[in-house]
Amino acid sequence: MSMIGEYVRLAPAEFERALREPERARACVDALVDRELDVPPPPSRARCHSTGKAWHALSFLLDRIGFPVDVVHGDGEVPGAADWGYAPPRHLAPDRVAAAAEAMAGTPHTALVGGATPQDLAAAHVYPVVVWERGEPLEWVAAAYRDLARFFGAAARDGHAVLMWIS
């Protein structure tokens, strides 16, 4: 079974409610995902996003360059939430989303993957290890980063918070 990085952006009132009522947040997020699967919005309006299997490589590479905001694991768990896959969802408040978007805008994908090799990721046991052991290039992780930066930019533009989880 694959491990997939998932994101949803929430307006401040939705975010506050998600923190107070995590079981209702899951239903709200599921409805958002279903709506966007049925009628995909333009990327600048998408409220849902997935980094696919690149989540762990993104975390490793962002940590390696000292990125100031944890855009993969957030700042904390949604209090009282059940597992949404492998663990409870985590979150970034709107001010932290804005900080992440600003930092991403100033960090090109070349800075993220520069100097890193598939062997580095394999040695660090970065999921999915088999990809790095085969020596596959990091371009798909760079593409996932570019897409995630656009998602965070849109979330910051709209003053949204972000929930994230591994499904």
Side-chain angles (χ1 to χ4, degrees):
M1 185 171 225
S2 295
M3 298 173 75
I4 306 297
E6 303 283 352
Y7 295 81
V8 66
R9 59 189 184 104
L10 301 174
E14 293 170 321
F15 175 60
E16 292 303 322
R17 188 166 188 183
L19 295 181
R20 285 191 321 272
E21 301 175 41
E23 65 287 342
R24 186 172 166 88
R26 180 62 194 250
C28 176
V29 167
D30 287 345
L32 272 172
V33 170
D34 288 345
R35 255 193 320 267
E36 290 196 5
L37 286 174
D38 288 343
V39 181
S44 65
R45 291 284 162 217
R47 303 237 350 241
C48 304
H49 182 73
S50 173
T51 56
K53 295 177 186 178
W55 66 272
H56 197 199
L58 288 167
S59 180
F60 174 80
L61 294 168
L62 289 164
D63 286 349
R64 180 178 151 271
I65 63 169
F67 199 77
V69 180
D70 189 343
V71 297
V72 175
H73 301 290
D75 286 340
E77 285 186 4
V78 172
D83 288 356
W84 285 18
Y86 288 90
R90 300 183 64 83
H91 65 83
L92 288 172
D95 63 319
R96 297 290 287 153
V97 170
E102 182 179 342
M104 291 171 118
T107 307
H109 69 279
T110 53
L112 180 71
V113 299
T117 66
Q119 293 75 23
D120 297 332
L121 278 70
H125 305 288
V126 172
Y127 177 84
V129 175
V130 67
V131 169
W132 313 123
E133 289 173 341
R134 287 193 304 245
E136 292 188 22
L138 298 174
E139 180 50 40
W140 67 278
V141 178
Y145 173 75
R146 289 189 300 268
D147 292 344
L148 186 61
R150 283 191 286 275
F151 177 78
F152 268 82
R157 175 200 67 217
D158 294 344
H160 285 176
V162 171
L163 300 184
M164 64 274 290
W165 66 99
I166 307 300
S167 66

